[in-house]
Amino acid sequence: MKQHRNRLLSAVAVLLWLLAATASFAQQPPRGPQQTPEQRAQHMTEKMVNGLGLNDKQAQAVEEINLRYAQKIDEARRNPNASRTQKFDRIEELFRQKDNELKGVLTKEQFDRFKVKQDEKLNNMRNKMHQRAQNAPPPDQRAHNQSERMQQRLNLTPEQQQKAEQINLKYAKQAEELRNRQKDANRQDA
């Protein structure tokens, strides 16, 4: 039962993240090309070297681990044969594997600090998602807004826009339903 609840929580978090990302993408101009796995790994390594006080040997090992997993995560995200849930599960597994490898390179104190920083980032992301969900317009308004953006970008016919709005409304209502279930589950746990 608890595993099912955790899986539901994970699915809700991913869904909320996707909705928030879609909404923020629609409101912001494009930011240029995405970082490559190599750039992401280098950035992560620099943050870890500075934040955890890694020595040269640790820095080199961490850089190799970060690069290897950035590439694997990139592959998982781009896998056209995997569903979103399968991608999420694969990426989650890769993060666990990466953490296990980092344990072998970092001291206990460094790894504990790393996990605290990771948890802080995750909590910040959850808080932002929660705030966005609290401030989100009702499903019919979200569906309408998204359909208008699609019309502007894709030059849809009125019939296509109407169908798009129906589809958007269907998924907006499902997302609202998931959020409400999550709220109910949180109330029951409290």
Side-chain angles (χ1 to χ4, degrees):
M1 179 69 178
K2 185 164 181 124
Q3 183 182 13
H4 176 68
R5 183 174 172 275
N6 287 341
R7 195 141 179 88
L8 178 63
L9 289 174
S10 295
V12 168
V14 169
L15 180 62
L16 290 175
W17 179 83
L18 289 171
L19 288 172
T22 302
S24 67
F25 174 75
Q27 295 170 359
Q28 298 174 355
R31 291 181 283 170
Q34 292 286 346
Q35 286 188 324
T36 65
E38 293 78 11
Q39 291 168 325
R40 286 194 312 274
Q42 183 180 9
H43 179 72
M44 167 86 52
T45 302
E46 288 170 5
K47 287 176 72 173
M48 291 176 74
V49 166
N50 294 330
L52 302 174
L54 305 182
N55 63 38
D56 291 341
K57 184 178 176 182
Q58 287 176 312
Q60 184 176 351
V62 164
E63 185 172 18
E64 291 170 7
I65 292 169
N66 284 337
L67 178 57
R68 188 170 55 257
Y69 282 95
Q71 290 168 336
K72 288 180 180 184
I73 289 168
D74 196 54
E75 287 174 21
R77 285 183 177 141
R78 290 185 287 115
N79 182 352
N81 300 320
S83 69
R84 285 183 180 169
T85 304
Q86 290 169 327
K87 289 177 184 181
F88 178 80
D89 290 345
R90 175 68 178 140
I91 290 169
E92 195 173 47
E93 175 60 28
L94 289 170
F95 277 121
R96 279 193 294 274
Q97 291 173 8
K98 179 181 172 186
D99 284 354
N100 285 335
E101 284 192 43
L102 288 172
K103 277 183 185 177
V105 174
L106 304 176
T107 66
K108 180 176 176 2
E109 293 78 22
Q110 288 170 326
F111 187 76
D112 290 345
R113 276 189 299 184
F114 170 73
K115 291 305 285 181
V116 165
K117 289 177 188 265
Q118 236 182 10
D119 290 345
E120 287 173 359
K121 286 180 187 177
L122 185 59
N123 287 333
N124 286 338
M125 184 179 75
R126 284 181 181 146
N127 289 336
K128 287 179 184 178
M129 288 174 21
H130 180 71
Q131 284 179 327
R132 286 187 189 124
Q134 294 293 332
N135 298 329
D140 57 333
Q141 185 63 47
R142 285 196 313 272
H144 179 73
N145 293 347
Q146 188 172 11
S147 298
E148 283 187 353
R149 287 189 301 271
M150 290 174 74
Q151 165 58 32
Q152 292 170 355
R153 290 185 178 150
L154 303 173
N155 198 24
L156 302 176
T157 66
E159 183 180 296
Q160 289 172 320
Q161 186 175 2
Q162 184 180 12
K163 286 182 181 179
E165 190 159 342
Q166 290 171 352
I167 293 168
N168 290 334
L169 181 59
K170 173 185 171 185
Y171 288 104
K173 285 182 177 180
Q174 287 178 357
E176 186 79 11
E177 201 175 298
L178 281 171
R179 274 195 295 275
N180 290 337
R181 278 192 221 151
Q182 181 57 45
K183 286 179 191 175
D184 292 342
N186 287 343
R187 282 187 210 125
Q188 290 175 357
D189 288 345

